[in-house]
Amino acid sequence: MNDFKKGDSLDSYKYLGNHKAKYNGEEGISFAVWAPNAKNVYLVGDFNNWNEISHPLENFEESGIWTIFITELSQGDRYKYNVVGCDGVSRLKADPYGLFSELRPNTASIIHESKDYNWKDKNYFDLKNKKDLSNEPMNIYEVHLGSWKRKWDGEFLTFKELYEIVDYVKDMGYTHIELMPITEYPLDMSWGYQTVGYFATTSRHGKPEEFKAFVNRCHEKGLGIILDFAYSHFCKDIHGLYRFDGSPQYEYAEPSKAENIGWGTVHFDLGKPEVNSFLLSNVIYWFKEFHIDGIRVDAVSSILYLDYDIGDWKPNKYGGRENIEGIDFLRILNEVVYKEIKNPLLIAEESTAWPMVTGPTYVGGLGFTYKWNMGWMNDTLKYMEMDPIYRKYHHDLITFSFMYAFSENFILPLSHDEVVHGKKSLLDKMSGDEWQRFAGLRLLYAYYMLHPGKKLLFMGGEFAQGLEWRYSYGLEWQLLEREQHKKMQTYVKDLNHLYINEKSLYEVDNSFEGFDFIDPHNEEQSVVILMRKGKDKNEFIIGILNFTPIVYYDYKVGVPYIGVYEEIFNTDDKKYWGSNQTMESTKIFSQEEKWQNQPHHIKIKVPPMGATLIKVIKDSIITSSNEIKTSLNK
């Protein structure tokens, strides 16, 4: 327990909370809870008819960790701690280390033994751990389990019933599933980001071992699992961590640092060693006990800055607005995970220009693997909402992100945050009539797939959900009965599989060596031409993106080699509900005349409000003058 007090414990879940034990020859359950300023702590529950004083805990060696051994409890029994705080007030608290809880609105913890699970994902990890994940495709399907689908009566699907997601995501060509928080939380409206039980899978969908089976299923299908966590703040519900022992135990004592007025929550005191042990143990618990592949830390900016929230704030000891202990915590968190876990994914939702979020900690970075590219997302969606007639005046919104695309290791997020609170669905953000909106969405997805960075799309976007996301209802699956939505789903599936199969789209994601602009300057026609490149110099794709509803014929595009080029993908294909402005011949022989910044060029048809992707046939590449003459004669 000394490590816990020092802030170094990575396995405090093994001795805090409840565990099967044997004492003086008797089998029972031991309980341990950290409440350093409590006057008394009692165990209450079904076993003693919720008598609030009959079973007192002992303050073990005056450590602030209270313990008791009980023989009367069994698996499935409900319990809480009656914590008599330093203020003399009794509060019934759920177990901070409890592994299972009652379904809301009930709030008791439930005795649940953590048994060894028969994992069948060794081959998955053996293969994964041989790879440099930065050179691999990463296309994430973001999911809120409570609203992907619902039962006919509005009830939640179980983890077992949610196997359907795994098969669907695999078929659609995604590589990872990211789950919005599945830890226990009291308020559906918080989407899980206001947590009570950090070690408990939410009882909305089933028991912990059933979630393990869900993860195992994902790995058997070759899919990675990423979980969201809110390590910045927690809710004020009376049964949770707030004022746990009558004092600001888990939260800051200084009100200006503790209170998150905008969210109605409080911030973790990341300068307190025991809180660090709690959170570090939590992240290791999910990696080791549930075999997850990665985490996304929500609201990192609220950890980094003292003035992130509305209201008063006080400068740090250097007079700045940075949260020193928050910065230290994030670095330690990432260092610990990298030390303990092989090939983890550590993703930051960080919405400011904080430098080196994905830089190594030993050179002053925060140490994350990836950062959500919020600047790209905001500029891109702003541009796509504009009427095409005005886009030429805002061309920089679609090109500026390439100037900083390699300053961090980025994920391009089209996430849940962009389709709620009056922001409209992605489809409804697009400008124009129905045809133009569908064409615009297809174009958005093509641009996103061509842009350097890993990918993330929130559920429903793949078939152009019409309504904003609603956390209490399933997605609008009935829309797939309409041709345009079904064809959008087909489009996203084909685009996803193209991404997986084309190394140039992912192999060199974090360097200018994997990208080149052919023509970013055609503001007048709102056309952008770019090239993505793999490690092999002949492995490249040229994307021509037209952000207007005008077809451009015989459009000259600079290319790097003399050879035969073919159109491998067109967003305007009729099978995707497009106008079918594809090339009459998919194969085009390039001409020797220099064009743009390339030594040769081709002439193509550019679809309206769409993109065409061009690739050279490797065997056709010509490098010598004799080969050129022979080919021209042919």
Side-chain angles (χ1 to χ4, degrees), residues 179-379:
L179 298 179
M180 293 165 67
I182 53 88
T183 45
E184 195 56 82
Y185 58 99
L187 182 65
D188 289 2
M189 194 182 298
S190 77
W191 315 333
Y193 292 102
Q194 296 187 12
T195 307
V196 165
Y198 279 82
F199 291 84
T201 53
T202 177
S203 54
R204 290 166 175 81
H205 305 293
K207 297 178 179 178
E209 58 269 20
E210 293 167 339
F211 180 62
K212 289 179 181 179
F214 178 87
V215 175
N216 192 72
R217 176 82 172 203
C218 289
H219 288 167
E220 287 182 322
K221 294 287 185 177
L223 296 170
I225 279 285
I226 301 164
L227 299 186
D228 282 10
F229 289 95
Y231 287 149
S232 162
H233 63 116
F234 58 89
C235 62
K236 292 183 175 181
D237 293 60
I238 192 64
H239 67 286
L241 301 179
Y242 183 63
R243 295 274 166 176
F244 194 86
D245 63 2
S247 72
Q249 179 181 330
Y250 284 90
E251 64 270 30
Y252 285 108
E254 171 59 52
S256 65
K257 292 180 74 174
E259 294 292 329
N260 190 309
I261 298 171
W263 295 335
T265 57
V266 286
H267 294 126
F268 279 107
D269 183 349
L270 299 175
K272 190 175 289 183
E274 296 90 343
V275 172
N276 279 6
S277 287
F278 174 79
L279 295 176
L280 295 176
S281 295
N282 183 249
V283 70
I284 294 301
Y285 169 76
W286 288 99
F287 271 107
K288 290 191 173 181
E289 300 297 324
F290 288 84
H291 286 207
I292 65 170
D293 295 85
I295 65 168
R296 181 187 73 96
V297 181
D298 185 64
V300 168
S301 300
S302 68
I303 297 176
L304 294 174
Y305 296 100
L306 297 170
D307 64 344
Y308 180 79
D309 188 32
I310 58 176
D312 296 331
W313 63 281
K314 293 182 179 179
N316 61 36
K317 60 184 179 181
Y318 303 110
R321 63 191 187 111
E322 299 80 13
N323 184 358
I324 304 300
E325 57 264 33
I327 298 166
D328 290 342
F329 167 76
L330 290 173
R331 287 173 174 156
I332 292 169
L333 172 76
N334 292 326
E335 287 173 353
V336 160
V337 174
Y338 272 115
K339 182 178 179 181
E340 296 290 322
I341 308 298
K342 191 165 185 178
N343 251 353
L345 294 171
L346 300 166
I347 302 167
E349 185 216 16
E350 204 288 302
S351 56
T352 75
W354 187 279
M356 299 181 66
V357 172
T358 57
T361 57
Y362 58 81
V363 295
L366 295 182
F368 285 96
T369 320
Y370 291 101
K371 173 185 173 176
W372 275 17
N373 193 336
M374 311 294 277
W376 170 87
M377 177 273 299
N378 284 314
D379 285 352

Side-chain angles (χ1 to χ4, degrees), residues 376 380 398 401-402 443-451 545:
W376 170 87
T380 300
I398 212 72
S401 59
F402 294 98
L443 176 57
L444 168 65
Y445 291 158
Y447 167 67
Y448 145 93
M449 206 60 83
L450 285 164
H451 196 291
L545 302 109

Side-chain angles (χ1 to χ4, degrees), residues 423-570:
K423 295 180 183 179
K424 301 184 290 188
S425 66
L426 288 179
L427 178 65
D428 278 354
K429 288 179 191 290
M430 301 300 107
S431 174
D433 59 22
E434 184 180 39
W435 185 90
Q436 288 183 332
R437 285 188 288 118
F438 273 86
L441 190 57
R442 293 193 301 271
L443 176 57
L444 168 65
Y445 291 158
Y447 167 67
Y448 145 93
M449 206 60 83
L450 285 164
H451 196 291
K454 307 307 184 185
K455 323 299 176 186
L456 178 142
L457 180 66
F458 184 56
M459 62 183 197
E462 77 276 14
F463 61 82
Q465 166 133 333
L467 295 174
E468 282 191 343
W469 170 52
R470 303 166 298 170
Y471 68 87
S472 55
Y473 298 91
L475 297 177
E476 296 180 280
W477 294 103
Q478 70 276 9
L479 291 177
L480 290 174
E481 297 173 7
R482 300 182 65 196
E483 180 187 14
Q484 57 268 52
H485 293 274
K486 184 63 179 175
K487 287 186 172 180
M488 178 63 79
Q489 186 187 49
T490 300
Y491 169 81
V492 171
K493 179 178 177 179
D494 288 354
L495 187 62
N496 287 347
H497 283 281
L498 177 75
Y499 169 72
I500 289 173
N501 293 325
E502 293 291 343
K503 289 184 178 181
S504 58
L505 294 178
Y506 63 78
E507 199 173 40
V508 190
D509 246 344
N510 302 321
S511 165
F512 277 108
E513 294 177 0
F515 168 81
D516 195 8
F517 260 138
I518 292 177
D519 183 12
H521 302 302
N522 190 350
E523 298 98 338
E524 190 62 33
Q525 293 178 299
S526 297
V527 173
V528 172
I529 307 174
L530 56 86
M531 180 162 53
R532 291 300 311 275
K533 299 182 286 186
K535 292 181 178 179
D536 180 345
K537 68 176 183 177
N538 295 330
E539 190 82 49
F540 63 90
I541 285 178
I542 296 172
I544 302 93
L545 302 109
N546 174 15
F547 293 93
T548 72
I550 301 169
V551 184
Y552 296 118
Y553 298 94
D554 292 328
Y555 194 93
K556 292 174 73 173
V557 177
V559 295
Y561 300 113
I562 283 282
V564 178
Y565 288 76
E566 60 178 341
E567 181 180 63
I568 61 170
F569 196 82
N570 190 311

